[in-house]
């Protein structure tokens, strides 16, 4: 857009700029709160009058439009996008999640302002039609000495009156930058300046002037929309959910240094060399489920490359974890032998680690007279996990848990390994029998680093015990006594109804999964977290305790990682069921004959009911074809029930219905299309019930 089109103010040119290069933490906090709601304040200020004038003045750009993503500077560590801003924010203001966040002082003003704006806007129904069918982007950026601020991009197509109002008024100055006009509006109460400009039909605003300038400077370069890695994850999220969230790890990791510290951030960068993630989600009352995809730098030697070759596993280790587990980091695979083979090959080829690793492996096998593949890798099943537990009367305990294929096989192999270790080491340790379970000691330095990689250096010369098919290692024997006591008293995580409900929503399938119970973690005393991270958690204790469960999981899917994150609120904790009730629920949820898809009634499109007859109760998916060979439907299956994505097609091959099932019930957003590919209907379901 040319220079003249960007100058809407009739006032004289002014180069006066309000200073805001370096803001205090308090000012930054205020500006962060305001940026989310500033556009609504503008709309409320002009009220329903905009709609009246809109009938007569409705300029449109005409022809091709600028891609709004190009207006976001490429150094954004996150970008949030929605086409339903009013619906999203008004729903968010009513959720339990928002009410809980508002307990925190920094979120309290968010809530009160949002509720007030939502109340005022509700009287302008026609105005809401204008606001709610347009794109809004919010992005986060580091800009000076670790400070960060937000950029706001708003589609103003057909809102010429509002644009004119914004570019005039009190306390407003303007200046030129690269042939565009930057307006500067001083807010006297907060002593801050809002900087904004117009490019094409978009409003671009921030409380940090350099972010607006970067938007102007970079928008023709299209750095993000020319990035193959960003395009890859963006395509996967198009049309999904009411909100999309994109993460750029090149700039996210420097941002995380401020909250996690350099040490933990470096560990994440080294082991998770991700490029971009794209998530989509809806606003829910008591949980936030983000689903999406991530890509990564496959030229580096990391666990992500190994996961691509080793498949996925389930979360069976929860059967021996205490309910006060604060951290549950699980790695899953089809078979551990595949994981170990890929890890072994990668470590041998690593130029910095390979030669030493190969020599050490050979020396260890010769010294102990063992074969690592046969005597260790062969008996491990489909999951290993590092866990942290917070006992009330003792220090935090950390353990490594390995799931074996068979309890007897695990005991046989571990007895053999312990015998070989005792032959070669001077350490004498008498086996202790605790409530029917043996606790042994294994003095082999660097053993787990050898078979599992450097993430497991924490465990050195550990004690171990075997509970059913699970082998539990810890540096401290009292940890093992705690695991045994918990298991015998049936106080394990898998018996918690809240955990079961949470994991059922998240899904067990994973290559890597991190599960946190924040109320337990804020009371940690030692363990795997450093002091700075613990202080950060305890500072937000009043909020953290209301978010009992958080999890992040990922697994490979067609050269990209499918990624899920789930956050729950306190009212997701269900009352405990007794054993007979649990058994009844388990039996009643399985339909052994057929799974029926509910009939959807829609006048604009012919949607037929489909009977899904399972040929295999262990199947992970089910599909059918028309007589012409085209796909009729595809649906995910779990435990004999519809669970996962559902796609139905017209006989000609075009997509007809797209939705998702959870435990045989419709869930989330369902979309219906005609044969021309036009979206004709959208429905929202929760637990199988249509949400109005």
């Amino acid at each position: 857009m040319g220079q003249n089109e960007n100058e809407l103010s009739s006032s004289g040119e002014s180069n006066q700029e309000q200073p805001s290069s370096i803001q205090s933490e308090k000012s930054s906090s205020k500006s962060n709160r305001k940026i989310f709601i500033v556009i609504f304040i503008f709309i409320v200020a002009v009220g329903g009058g905009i709609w009246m004038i809109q009938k007569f003045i409705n300029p449109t750009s005409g022809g091709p439009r600028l891609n709004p993503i190009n207006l976001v500077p490429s150094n954004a560590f996150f970008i949030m996008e929605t086409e339903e801003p009013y619906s999203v924010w008004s729903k968010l203001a009513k959720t339990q999640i928002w009410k809980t966040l508002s307990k925190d002082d920094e979120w309290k003003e968010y809530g009160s302002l949002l509720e007030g704006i939502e109340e005022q806007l509700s009287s302008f129904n026609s105005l809401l039609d204008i606001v709610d069918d347009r794109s809004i982007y919010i992005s986060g950026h580091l800009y000076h000495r670790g400070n960060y601020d937000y950029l706001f991009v708003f589609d103003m197509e057909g809102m010429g009156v509002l644009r004119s109002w914004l570019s005039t008024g009190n306390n407003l100055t303007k200046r030129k930058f690269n042939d565009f006009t930057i307006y500067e509006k001083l807010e006297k109460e907060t002593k801050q300046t809002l900087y904004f400009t117009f490019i094409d039909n978009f409003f671009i605003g921030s409380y940090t002037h350099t972010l607006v300038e970067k938007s102007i400077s970079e928008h023709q370069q299209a750095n993000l929309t020319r990035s193959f890695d960003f395009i890859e994850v963006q395509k996967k999220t198009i049309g999904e959910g009411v909100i999309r969230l994109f993460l750029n790890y090149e700039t996210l990791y420097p941002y995380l240094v401020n909250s996690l510290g350099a040490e933990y951030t470096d560990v994440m960068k080294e082991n998770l060399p991700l490029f971009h993630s794209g998530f989509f989600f809806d606003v829910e009352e008591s949980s936030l489920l983000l689903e999406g995809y991530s890509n990564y730098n496959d030229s580096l030697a990391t666990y992500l490359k190994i996961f691509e070759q080793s498949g996925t596993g389930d979360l069976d280790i929860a059967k021996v974890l205490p309910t006060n587990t604060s951290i549950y980091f699980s790695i899953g695979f089809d078979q551990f032998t595949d994981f170990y083979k890929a890890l072994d090959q990668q470590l041998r080829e690593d130029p910095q680690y390979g030669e030493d690793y190969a020599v050490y492996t050979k020396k260890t096998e010769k010294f102990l007279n063992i074969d690592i593949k046969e005597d260790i890798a062969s008996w491990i099943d489909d999951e290993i996990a590092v866990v942290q537990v917070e006992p009330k009367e003792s220090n935090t305990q950390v353990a490594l848990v390995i799931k074996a294929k068979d309890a007897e096989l695990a005991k046989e192999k571990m007895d053999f390994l312990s015998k070989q270790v005792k032959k070669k080491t001077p350490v004498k340790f008498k086996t202790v029998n605790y409530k029917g379970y043996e606790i042994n000691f294994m003095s082999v330095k660097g053993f787990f680093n050898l078979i599992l990689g450097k993430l497991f250096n924490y465990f050195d010369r550990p004690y171990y015990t075997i509970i059913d098919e699970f082998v539990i290692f810890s540096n401290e024997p009292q940890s093992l006594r705690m695991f045994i006591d918990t298991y015998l008293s049936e106080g394990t995580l898998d018996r918690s109804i809240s955990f079961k409900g949470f994991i059922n929503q998240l899904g067990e399938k994973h290559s890597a999964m991190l599960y946190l119970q924040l109320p337990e973690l804020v009371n940690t005393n030692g363990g795997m977290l450093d002091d700075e991270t613990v202080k950060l958690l305890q500072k937000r204790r009043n909020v953290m305790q209301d978010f009992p469960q958080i999890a992040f999981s990922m697994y490979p899917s067609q050269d990209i990682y499918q990624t899920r994150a789930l956050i729950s609120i306190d009212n997701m904790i269900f009352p405990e069921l007794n054993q007979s009730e649990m058994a009844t629920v388990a039996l009643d949820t399985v339909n052994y004959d057929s799974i029926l898809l509910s009939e959807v009634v829609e006048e604009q499109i012919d949607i037929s009911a489909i009977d899904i007859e399972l040929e295999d109760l262990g199947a992970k998916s089910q599909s059918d074809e028309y007589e012409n060979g085209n796909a009729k439907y595809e649906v995910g299956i779990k435990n004999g029930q519809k669970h996962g994505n559902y796609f139905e097609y017209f006989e000609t091959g075009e997509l007809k219905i797209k939705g998702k099932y959870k435990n045989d019930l419709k869930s989330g957003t369902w979309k219906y299309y005609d044969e021309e590919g036009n979206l004709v209907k959208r429905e929202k379901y929760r637990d199988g019930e249509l949400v109005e």
Side-chain angles (χ1 to χ4, degrees):
M1 177 167 288
Q3 173 180 340
N4 292 335
E5 291 176 289
N6 282 281
E7 293 189 36
L8 296 177
S9 173
S10 60
S11 62
E13 183 73 11
S14 172
N15 290 317
Q16 180 181 357
E17 179 180 355
Q18 302 297 331
S20 63
S21 299
I22 303 176
Q23 301 175 3
S24 67
E25 181 179 352
K26 184 176 181 181
S27 296
S28 178
S29 175
K30 289 182 178 179
S31 67
N32 294 343
R33 290 194 292 271
K34 285 182 176 265
I35 195 62
F36 286 92
I37 50 86
V38 66
I39 194 63
F40 295 114
I41 293 177
F42 289 151
I43 294 171
V44 172
V46 293
I50 293 178
W51 174 251
M52 300 286 293
I53 302 173
Q54 186 76 16
K55 294 292 185 178
F56 304 98
I57 305 174
N58 186 21
T60 58
S61 59
R65 303 186 66 205
L66 186 68
N67 188 332
I69 288 287
N70 293 341
L71 298 169
V72 179
S74 57
N75 68 343
F77 58 84
F78 83 83
I79 303 172
M80 187 166 64
E81 169 196 11
T82 181
E83 288 96 20
E84 303 175 25
Y86 172 73
S87 298
V88 168
W89 302 127
S90 60
K91 288 178 183 177
L92 184 61
K94 297 179 176 69
T95 63
Q96 186 63 35
I97 287 179
W98 189 274
K99 293 174 184 176
T100 299
L101 285 174
S102 297
K103 294 180 181 180
D104 186 83
D105 290 338
E106 291 188 13
W107 283 89
K108 194 171 295 181
E109 189 176 340
Y110 273 121
S112 59
L113 286 173
L114 185 61
E115 290 174 6
I117 290 168
E118 190 275 333
E119 182 178 348
Q120 293 180 61
L121 284 176
S122 62
S123 62
F124 299 113
N125 294 329
S126 298
L127 179 61
L128 299 184
D129 292 337
I130 306 174
V131 176
D132 215 33
D133 189 22
R134 58 188 62 248
S135 299
I136 285 184
Y137 294 82
I138 300 171
S139 56
H141 306 260
L142 288 173
Y143 65 92
H144 185 67
R145 296 180 181 176
N147 292 321
Y148 66 92
D149 207 344
Y150 303 106
L151 184 78
F152 196 89
V153 177
F154 176 45
D155 181 2
M156 299 190 68
E157 175 81 20
M159 301 183 73
V161 176
L162 177 57
R163 175 169 166 169
S164 297
W165 179 81
L166 289 172
S167 56
T168 58
N170 298 326
N171 302 320
L172 189 69
T173 61
K174 64 179 182 177
R175 62 184 172 90
K176 285 290 188 172
F177 184 83
N178 290 1
D179 294 331
F180 285 85
T181 300
I182 294 180
Y183 299 90
E184 302 165 348
K185 183 174 180 59
L186 175 64
E187 298 175 357
K188 291 186 177 180
E189 291 185 2
T190 62
K191 303 186 187 305
Q192 296 183 73
T193 301
L194 174 66
Y195 303 88
F196 61 93
T197 190
F198 302 97
I199 302 178
D200 202 8
N201 282 297
F202 293 94
F203 167 95
I204 300 97
S206 177
Y207 282 93
T208 299
H209 65 281
T210 55
L211 299 186
V212 177
E213 292 170 0
K214 284 184 70 68
S215 176
I216 293 172
S217 299
E218 294 185 8
H219 78 277
Q220 294 293 356
Q221 300 172 16
N223 292 322
L224 284 175
T225 54
R226 293 176 62 245
S227 166
F228 288 113
D229 296 314
F230 178 78
I231 292 171
E232 185 177 31
V233 298
Q234 186 191 31
K235 282 184 176 179
K236 294 280 189 179
T237 65
I238 291 176
E240 299 288 353
V242 297
I243 303 174
R244 267 85 54 200
L245 176 67
F246 303 101
L247 302 179
N248 179 359
Y249 290 89
E250 182 180 359
T251 49
L252 178 64
Y253 284 134
Y255 163 75
L256 291 177
V257 169
N258 295 325
S259 55
L260 297 181
E263 181 179 353
Y264 271 85
T265 304
D266 288 342
V267 171
M268 292 178 64
K269 285 179 63 176
E270 183 179 356
N271 294 285
L272 292 173
L274 299 169
F275 287 137
H276 294 274
S277 289
F279 295 98
F280 54 89
F281 57 98
D282 295 327
V283 176
E284 301 287 351
E285 170 63 24
S286 302
S287 64
L288 183 63
L289 175 62
L290 288 78
E291 302 178 79
Y293 300 86
S294 303
N295 49 28
Y296 74 102
N297 187 348
D298 59 5
S299 66
L300 301 178
T302 65
Y303 283 94
L304 294 178
K305 289 186 68 174
I306 297 171
F307 294 156
E308 285 192 347
Q309 304 174 54
S310 58
T312 61
D314 291 327
L315 298 171
D316 293 327
I317 284 177
K319 295 177 182 177
V320 291
L321 300 186
T323 53
N324 54 343
T325 296
S326 60
I327 301 176
Y328 175 12
F329 174 64
S330 171
I331 295 179
F333 23 74
D334 290 334
Q335 300 181 79
F336 180 76
T337 50
D338 294 334
F339 175 86
Y340 176 72
K341 181 179 178 181
L343 174 66
D344 182 68
Q345 180 179 353
Q346 178 170 290
L347 291 178
R348 289 176 186 273
E349 295 174 353
D350 189 330
Q352 296 181 339
Y353 192 57
E355 185 175 349
D356 291 340
Y357 170 80
V359 171
Y360 183 63
T361 299
K362 186 175 181 179
K363 282 185 176 181
T364 301
E365 289 184 321
K366 184 177 180 179
F367 178 71
L368 296 177
N369 192 24
I370 63 172
D371 183 313
I372 292 178
K373 292 181 181 178
E374 175 60 30
D375 296 321
I376 302 174
S378 64
W379 58 266
I380 299 177
D381 198 10
D382 63 352
E383 185 188 7
I384 58 176
V386 177
V387 300
Q388 179 170 308
V389 185
E390 312 296 340
K392 293 182 179 179
E393 299 179 357
S394 62
N395 292 337
T396 293
Q397 306 294 322
V398 180
L400 167 67
V401 186
I402 296 177
K403 179 187 174 186
K405 295 178 180 178
D406 176 80
E408 291 299 321
L409 179 62
K411 186 177 187 312
E412 175 188 335
K413 292 295 185 180
M414 287 303 301
D415 285 347
F416 170 74
L417 184 60
S418 296
K419 181 180 178 181
Q420 296 304 103
V421 170
K422 288 178 182 179
K423 286 180 181 179
K424 298 292 184 177
T425 63
V427 178
K428 302 299 180 183
F429 177 79
K430 183 179 179 180
T431 297
V432 175
N433 188 295
Y434 181 74
K435 297 184 179 180
Y437 293 89
E438 292 184 352
I439 296 178
N440 292 280
F441 178 65
M442 190 173 66
S443 178
V444 182
K445 184 176 177 61
F447 178 74
F448 293 108
N449 183 35
L450 187 66
I451 64 170
L452 299 176
K454 51 192 172 184
L455 274 182
F456 300 87
N457 284 337
Y458 185 90
F459 303 95
D460 196 16
R461 297 188 174 97
Y463 299 86
Y464 75 90
T465 191
I466 301 175
I467 301 177
D468 288 346
E469 69 269 31
F470 303 98
V471 186
I472 306 170
F473 300 87
S474 178
N475 292 341
E476 301 179 20
Q478 58 264 36
S479 297
L480 303 180
R481 295 199 295 267
M482 176 192 62
F483 273 85
I484 293 169
D485 288 339
T486 300
Y487 182 76
L488 291 176
S489 64
E490 298 185 349
T492 53
L493 198 58
D494 80 308
R495 293 178 178 271
S496 164
I497 300 302
S498 58
F499 174 79
K500 283 188 173 182
F502 183 86
I503 293 301
N504 192 44
Q505 189 175 1
L506 177 73
E508 290 193 42
K509 181 180 179 181
H510 73 288
S511 292
M513 189 280 303
L514 176 63
Y515 169 82
L516 305 174
Q517 292 197 93
L518 292 182
E520 300 289 346
L521 199 56
V522 295
N523 298 314
T524 189
N525 182 14
M528 295 185 285
L529 302 184
D530 62 14
D531 293 340
E532 291 302 316
T533 304
V534 173
K535 289 178 181 177
L536 179 68
L537 292 171
Q538 293 177 344
K539 184 179 179 182
R540 295 287 184 267
R541 178 187 295 269
N542 62 330
V543 173
M544 295 294 183
Q545 290 182 338
D546 287 325
F547 290 90
Q549 302 175 100
I550 294 178
F552 177 87
S553 70
M554 60 192 308
Y555 60 88
S557 175
Q558 298 179 347
D559 299 325
I560 197 169
Y561 270 86
Q562 191 156 338
T563 314
R564 295 166 67 87
L566 180 62
I567 303 172
S568 71
I569 195 74
D570 52 3
N571 61 8
M572 273 194 71
I573 301 178
F574 306 104
E576 297 286 342
L577 300 179
N578 60 42
Q579 293 299 314
S580 61
E581 288 174 322
M582 291 175 65
T584 302
V585 171
L587 289 174
D588 290 346
T589 57
V590 180
N591 185 339
Y592 289 96
D593 298 321
S594 65
I595 300 174
L596 302 180
L597 182 67
S598 301
E599 185 174 5
V600 181
V601 179
E602 170 57 51
E603 297 177 357
Q604 297 172 285
I605 185 172
D606 179 25
I607 301 172
S608 58
I610 291 180
D611 291 347
I612 302 176
E613 296 289 339
L614 287 182
E615 302 170 350
D616 179 6
L617 291 177
K620 295 183 179 179
S621 64
Q622 181 73 17
S623 61
D624 197 7
E625 296 179 349
Y626 290 99
E627 292 183 359
N628 62 7
N630 286 339
K632 189 175 184 181
Y633 72 86
E634 301 170 86
V635 63
I637 300 294
K638 182 178 181 181
N639 298 329
Q641 296 179 305
K642 298 188 297 295
H643 188 90
N645 293 325
Y646 174 80
F647 300 95
E648 184 178 342
Y649 304 91
F650 290 97
E651 192 168 359
T652 52
E654 286 79 15
L655 180 64
K656 184 177 183 181
I657 306 173
K658 179 181 181 180
K660 182 173 293 186
Y661 281 94
K662 289 182 181 177
N663 302 319
D664 217 32
L665 300 174
K666 287 185 176 181
S667 177
T669 302
W670 280 64
K671 298 177 181 179
Y672 305 90
Y673 302 85
D674 62 21
E675 293 189 69
E676 302 300 321
N678 300 311
L679 179 66
V680 297
K681 183 178 180 181
R682 178 184 295 187
E683 293 178 333
K684 182 68 178 295
Y685 288 88
R686 184 183 296 120
D687 298 328
E689 298 293 330
L690 182 62
V691 179
E692 297 296 335

